[in-house]
Amino acid sequence: MTDATAAAAGTGTAAPAARPLPLAGIRVLDVSQVMAGPYCCMLLADLGADVVKIEPPGTGDQTRGAMGFKLKGDDSMGFLNMNRNKRSVALNLKSEAGRAVLLRMARDADVLVENYRPGVMQRLGIDYPRIAEVNPRLVYASISGFGQSGPWSDRPGFDLMAQAMSGVMSVTGYADGPPVKAGVPVADIGCALFAAYSILAATIGARATGQGQYIDASLFDSALAFSVWDISEYWGTGREPEPLGTSNRMSAPYQAMKASDGYFVMGATNQKLWTLLCNTLERPDLLADPRFATVSTRLAHRLALVEALERSFAARTSEAWIEALLAAGIPAGPILSYPQAFGSDHAKHRRMRIEIDHPVEGSVPNIGFPVKFSGTPPQVRRHPPLLGEHTDAVLDEMGIGPEERAALQAQGAFAA
């Protein structure tokens, strides 16, 4: 890569790429709220899709008022971090006129994403069969807690429930502690990612065949899909996986270790690294100990292994050990807080914090683009929208003039 190309690939905020963004020309209707749906649609928007966010008049996306603290305006920092590069249309889908407008919008759209409870869109008359009547090539993705079918499908589902009921919480934390969820919303974000790749695949198919399709994505299924190591152990041995703290069920040592001033993480996951570790620690006794001779025996004697290693690690600081281990070719690193992680030289180089100009908030921090493109780097093209900010512009694009707009307004299309 040239320096300029590398810079563009790393930042995602450089001057616009010479060629269109990959999803330019694709219209997405974002009929979703809170996290999984909006995050999925933001990923598409970052890559060039024209995402029109359909929001309830008056309140908008529930996340606008979330998080328990106020900025200058009415939108939370969470909303601002999941809705960049979108346009907002305030549309009352509880009104017949509002639903009629959505159907008209769907005629020229490529994708619709919704995350209402199963059955809601059908009752409103804007479910996939109805949308497919007006646009058979449209890809329609429904995101829910437990999917559109099955004994649990009618349950309300959030990330916490998906983590608990998928088994994720059963392997999180420590064996002698209370239930613990993953610190980040793995079911929500995981579902957003699975939905995004499914939408892209279906859209490619629709362009080739002219036929769209329905996508049923759930937080529960997505969380289950992350269980590769854990369920493989159960299916292979019959042993029910248990929480291991920072340890790994496939290799040891691979976890947090305590040094003289606190914890750091390290991993010696194969025989070569294990030998390097013992040599770095100047512990030939560990190499000679039959309990630690192989990965299997080290796993079987994990507690004794950690105790033996921490006797050595206690002699120096975590920073000193990280430096020594890395010098020996052994993976190691500090345990950072979010401020430390985002403030690190590496995160700064990777541009994982970017600033977006906002008409109310001024400069707003956003998480940067997690994947770098050399030719068409993602760009911030639009600030996170104000509620209904683009209603008039989108209606103009649809050919809905002032008189028809006034009639729709009178019929409750744009009011709560």
Side-chain angles (χ1 to χ4, degrees), residues 4-5 7-9 11-19 21 351 373-380:
T5 303
T11 66
T13 57
R19 59 184 191 258
L21 289 173
R351 304 292 177 92
F373 284 54
S374 66
T376 56
Q379 304 160 17
V380 176

Side-chain angles (χ1 to χ4, degrees), residues 29-106:
L29 303 181
D30 178 5
V31 193
S32 68
Q33 299 193 51
V34 188
M35 179 164 282
Y39 196 93
C40 167
C41 292
M42 184 183 72
L43 295 175
L44 303 176
D46 285 348
L47 294 178
D50 176 19
V51 176
V52 178
K53 186 173 181 67
I54 309 300
E55 301 188 70
T59 58
D61 185 328
Q62 297 174 34
T63 310
R64 287 186 182 271
M67 302 193 73
F69 61 89
K70 295 286 288 184
L71 302 174
K72 294 178 183 177
D74 295 327
D75 298 335
S76 74
M77 187 62 75
F79 177 87
L80 298 175
N81 264 275
M82 288 188 285
N83 291 281
R84 65 185 174 224
N85 285 330
K86 301 179 185 180
R87 298 192 287 170
S88 172
V89 170
L91 193 61
N92 181 10
L93 297 180
K94 294 181 180 179
S95 72
E96 184 175 346
R99 295 191 293 273
V101 172
L102 181 68
L103 286 171
R104 288 175 65 172
M105 295 175 72

Side-chain angles (χ1 to χ4, degrees), residues 50-411:
D50 176 19
V51 176
V52 178
K53 186 173 181 67
I54 309 300
E55 301 188 70
T59 58
D61 185 328
Q62 297 174 34
T63 310
R64 287 186 182 271
M67 302 193 73
F69 61 89
K70 295 286 288 184
L71 302 174
K72 294 178 183 177
D74 295 327
D75 298 335
S76 74
M77 187 62 75
F79 177 87
L80 298 175
N81 264 275
M82 288 188 285
N83 291 281
R84 65 185 174 224
N85 285 330
K86 301 179 185 180
R87 298 192 287 170
S88 172
V89 170
L91 193 61
N92 181 10
L93 297 180
K94 294 181 180 179
S95 72
E96 184 175 346
R99 295 191 293 273
V101 172
L102 181 68
L103 286 171
R104 288 175 65 172
M105 295 175 72
R107 292 175 187 169
D108 298 317
D110 300 284
V111 177
L112 185 151
V113 179
E114 64 90 11
N115 66 347
Y116 285 85
R117 289 271 295 275
V120 170
M121 297 297 272
Q122 181 180 19
R123 289 194 294 274
L124 291 174
I126 45 178
D127 56 346
Y128 175 64
R130 181 69 183 95
I131 296 291
E133 289 177 4
V134 300
N135 184 356
R137 63 179 178 78
L138 182 136
V139 174
Y140 190 118
S142 290
I143 294 174
S144 62
F146 296 97
Q148 302 298 308
S149 62
W152 295 346
S153 60
D154 289 336
R155 294 190 181 200
F158 297 104
D159 180 84
L160 177 63
M161 289 74 206
Q163 288 197 38
M165 298 171 71
S166 66
V168 169
M169 283 180 65
S170 75
V171 296
T172 306
Y174 289 87
D176 57 352
V180 177
K181 73 175 183 67
V184 294
V186 293
D188 266 321
I189 299 298
C191 188
L193 294 169
F194 286 129
Y197 105 88
S198 302
I199 288 167
L200 293 175
T203 301
I204 292 170
R207 296 216 159 179
T209 66
Q211 292 296 311
Q213 59 181 298
Y214 182 68
I215 293 170
D216 174 2
S218 80
L219 276 62
F220 175 77
D221 293 0
S222 299
L224 274 175
F226 287 152
S227 69
V228 176
W229 287 131
D230 308 272
I231 198 61
S232 293
E233 179 185 36
Y234 176 67
W235 286 338
T237 68
R239 294 192 302 268
E240 186 171 323
E242 295 180 348
L244 297 173
T246 63
S247 301
N248 181 274
R249 62 186 73 257
M250 301 303 295
S251 58
Y254 182 85
Q255 64 184 87
M257 293 287 183
K258 189 174 184 179
S260 64
D261 62 340
Y263 288 89
F264 69 100
V265 294
M266 56 78 59
T269 55
N270 56 43
Q271 287 302 113
K272 178 182 177 181
L273 290 173
W274 171 243
T275 302
L276 286 173
L277 176 63
C278 294
N279 291 336
T280 302
L281 297 177
E282 299 180 351
R283 292 289 301 274
D285 59 303
L286 297 181
L287 279 176
D289 194 321
R291 296 176 300 171
F292 310 141
T294 66
V295 171
S296 296
T297 58
R298 289 194 291 276
L299 284 170
H301 299 92
R302 189 197 311 271
L303 295 180
L305 173 66
V306 173
E307 182 180 353
L309 290 173
E310 287 189 339
R311 284 200 297 269
S312 292
F313 289 137
R316 301 169 67 181
T317 65
S318 57
E319 183 178 358
W321 280 120
I322 292 167
E323 183 178 343
L325 294 176
L326 290 176
I330 301 167
I335 300 172
L336 302 180
S337 66
Y338 279 122
Q340 291 172 323
F342 276 89
S344 68
D345 289 341
H346 189 74
K348 290 176 181 176
H349 175 81
R350 300 295 293 175
R351 304 292 177 92
M352 285 310 296
R353 170 176 168 154
I354 59 177
E355 299 289 330
I356 295 178
D357 291 329
H358 189 274
V360 175
E361 305 295 342
S363 182
V364 175
N366 256 220
I367 297 174
F369 303 107
V371 179
K372 322 305 181 189
F373 284 54
S374 66
T376 56
Q379 304 160 17
V380 176
R381 308 184 316 282
R382 299 180 183 277
H383 60 262
L386 304 176
L387 176 59
E389 179 179 355
H390 305 95
T391 302
D392 288 341
V394 172
L395 294 178
D396 285 341
E397 292 170 6
M398 297 169 61
I400 298 178
E403 291 187 8
E404 185 179 4
R405 195 172 310 173
L408 289 169
Q409 176 72 40
Q411 296 169 42

